[in-house]
Amino acid sequence: MKLIVLGAPGSGKGTQAKFITQKHRIPQVSTGDLLRDAVKRKTTLGVKAKEFMNTGNLVPDAIVLDLLKGRLMKDDCLHGFILDGYPRNIAQANQLAKITDIDLVINISVDYGLLVKRITGRRTCKVCGSIFHLEFNPPSKVGICDKCSGELFQRSDDTEETVKKRLNTYENQTKPLIEYYSSQKLLQTLISDGTIKEMRHKVNDLLEKTFGS
Ligand code: ADP
Ligand code: AMP
């Protein structure tokens, strides 16, 4: 199962990718997570990437490709993976095609107004990376992760100002991938206008229809 989850920032890619990981035992490969880890560790790559991330721009293709290749070479990706946040433009999609084939692209479609609300209310666990939302998926105890009791934080790029720039970047650079994968007959669009649970069912149904599991 080699999947891409496509969608605007805040559409719920990470949330659904984590469910797929649990059910199908394939890893979630999030270039955003890989980059944030590099920023946190202050690696040369991380230092370069930080300014692009904080201003809502895409990190240069070559940097992200290096990170991605390193991750896909690991053993746990041998039987499949879910790409979350990659590719982000046509050049990256062409580079990806040289590394691996893809079975299915799940495109999560969400209204613009809802996206801003989802992103600004997002809270993430510092320890295990679980994703919560102040209104739509609140933790049982304020600021504490339900799964590991880690501290929840707001991503530095999840402010209203940066969000607008990120959504702009999505419109201009990432959205053309819908047509790109649609023309290759790999794309299935799911509209996310309901709860996280409802979306989880839609994704499960699609995977069952496509892979029979
Ligand atoms: P992405 O990975 O696409 O940026 P996330 O999975 O991190 O998006 O989701 C963004 C925010 O929206 C999170 O706070 C998450 O809890 C919330 N969220 C995800 N899916 C839904 C949904 N169907 N309804 C309401 N909130 C959602
Ligand atoms: P995400 O966690 O997917 O929302 O990504 C957070 C930020 O990381 C983005 O706004 C970009 O700056 C950067 N990023 C993540 N994935 C990519 C990618 N495939 N190409 C370029 N930049 C990326």
Side-chain angles (χ1 to χ4, degrees):
M1 227 186 236
K2 294 175 181 172
L3 309 176
I4 293 174
V5 195
L6 197 65
S11 56
K13 300 183 297 296
T15 300
Q16 295 304 323
K18 284 184 193 341
F19 291 142
I20 301 173
T21 289
Q22 281 165 14
K23 186 157 191 249
H24 296 275
R25 309 254 155 241
I26 51 173
Q28 170 195 10
V29 176
S30 155
T31 44
D33 285 349
L34 293 172
L35 286 163
R36 275 184 291 279
D37 181 58
V39 170
K40 201 164 116 193
R41 289 188 292 113
K42 297 195 170 81
T43 64
T44 315
L45 187 155
V47 172
K48 272 190 206 154
K50 192 176 174 180
E51 60 175 285
F52 295 97
M53 296 171 77
N54 281 344
T55 48
N57 288 298
L58 292 184
V59 174
D61 294 345
I63 295 184
V64 189
L65 183 64
D66 263 5
L67 267 183
L68 180 83
K69 275 185 178 165
R71 181 64 189 89
L72 291 184
M73 266 164 46
K74 296 204 170 144
D75 283 352
D76 63 339
C77 290
L78 223 60
H79 302 294
F81 46 77
I82 311 151
L83 288 182
D84 162 11
Y86 194 95
R88 284 285 236 275
N89 58 31
I90 302 280
Q92 290 185 6
N94 286 330
Q95 285 165 339
L96 180 67
K98 288 186 191 148
I99 310 174
T100 180
D101 55 324
I102 293 294
D103 300 312
L104 176 68
V105 180
I106 305 173
N107 175 41
I108 303 182
S109 171
V110 182
D111 271 1
Y112 186 91
L114 214 50
L115 286 174
V116 178
K117 243 184 148 182
R118 284 189 188 180
I119 302 177
T120 50
R122 169 164 52 197
R123 296 294 182 272
T124 311
C125 176
K126 263 186 186 162
V127 181
C128 73
S130 289
I131 305 165
F132 296 87
H133 190 282
L134 292 180
E135 186 182 341
F136 305 133
N137 184 26
S140 334
K141 283 190 209 148
V142 176
I144 305 288
C145 175
D146 283 350
K147 288 214 181 97
C148 75
S149 300
E151 190 190 331
L152 302 184
F153 77 105
Q154 181 174 27
R155 277 171 44 178
S156 59
D157 60 346
D158 275 354
T159 57
E160 208 154 325
E161 191 194 352
T162 314
V163 165
K164 285 193 182 127
K165 173 68 185 154
R166 286 163 65 203
L167 290 174
N168 220 10
T169 304
Y170 167 79
E171 284 290 327
N172 297 328
Q173 301 194 51
T174 310
K175 216 173 175 184
L177 290 175
I178 294 177
E179 180 50 38
Y180 177 96
Y181 285 117
S182 175
S183 70
Q184 295 180 23
K185 308 252 180 296
L186 287 174
L187 190 102
Q188 292 287 342
T189 294
L190 299 177
I191 294 172
S192 177
D193 53 3
T195 62
I196 293 175
K197 196 172 167 191
E198 281 163 2
M199 192 58 192
R200 182 181 184 165
H201 288 309
K202 286 190 190 182
V203 172
N204 278 344
D205 288 349
L206 173 62
L207 292 181
E208 208 157 290
K209 201 179 80 190
T210 311
F211 299 99
S213 66

